[in-house]
Amino acid sequence: MLVVSAIRHYSTAPSHNQYDYCSISYTTINLFCNIGGAIALLNILIPTLIAATTPSRVTQMTSYYSLTMNLIAAIGTAIILPLATIW
């Protein structure tokens, strides 16, 4: 929720140039790049860590990891829809 409020706050910053058609600030772009970089990095590191720590149960642990990612994405989607109607 903190991320949503930060994105909402920084994306509605007033434009200082009359020819600037984009209302997204550089802070918002930086935030999205950092989140995307973290997702990309963890997408490589976590399966490697699973394989290194549990060599006998790699498929089971990877399926748990995949299930957890999908559940978190579904919960995030279910939470953001009511929040979108509030704002």
Side-chain angles (χ1 to χ4, degrees), residues 11-35:
S11 65
T12 58
S15 176
H16 298 292
N17 186 355
Q18 65 179 351
Y19 300 109
D20 186 17
Y21 298 108
C22 183
S23 65
I24 297 177
S25 68
Y26 290 110
T27 306
T28 305
I29 293 170
N30 190 11
L31 177 70
F32 286 142
C33 288
N34 287 335
I35 290 172

Side-chain angles (χ1 to χ4, degrees), residues 1-85:
M1 189 149 124
L2 181 63
V3 173
V4 173
S5 63
I7 291 171
R8 182 176 170 84
H9 173 72
Y10 287 116
S11 65
T12 58
S15 176
H16 298 292
N17 186 355
Q18 65 179 351
Y19 300 109
D20 186 17
Y21 298 108
C22 183
S23 65
I24 297 177
S25 68
Y26 290 110
T27 306
T28 305
I29 293 170
N30 190 11
L31 177 70
F32 286 142
C33 288
N34 287 335
I35 290 172
I39 290 170
L41 184 66
L42 292 175
N43 195 24
I44 295 169
L45 286 179
I46 290 180
T48 306
L49 290 173
I50 289 172
T53 57
T54 57
S56 62
R57 300 185 309 157
V58 172
T59 54
Q60 181 182 12
M61 297 305 285
T62 305
S63 65
Y64 288 155
Y65 167 64
S66 177
L67 177 70
T68 304
M69 282 193 315
N70 288 322
L71 284 175
I72 290 172
I75 291 169
T77 302
I79 289 172
I80 202 68
L81 288 175
L83 286 178
T85 59

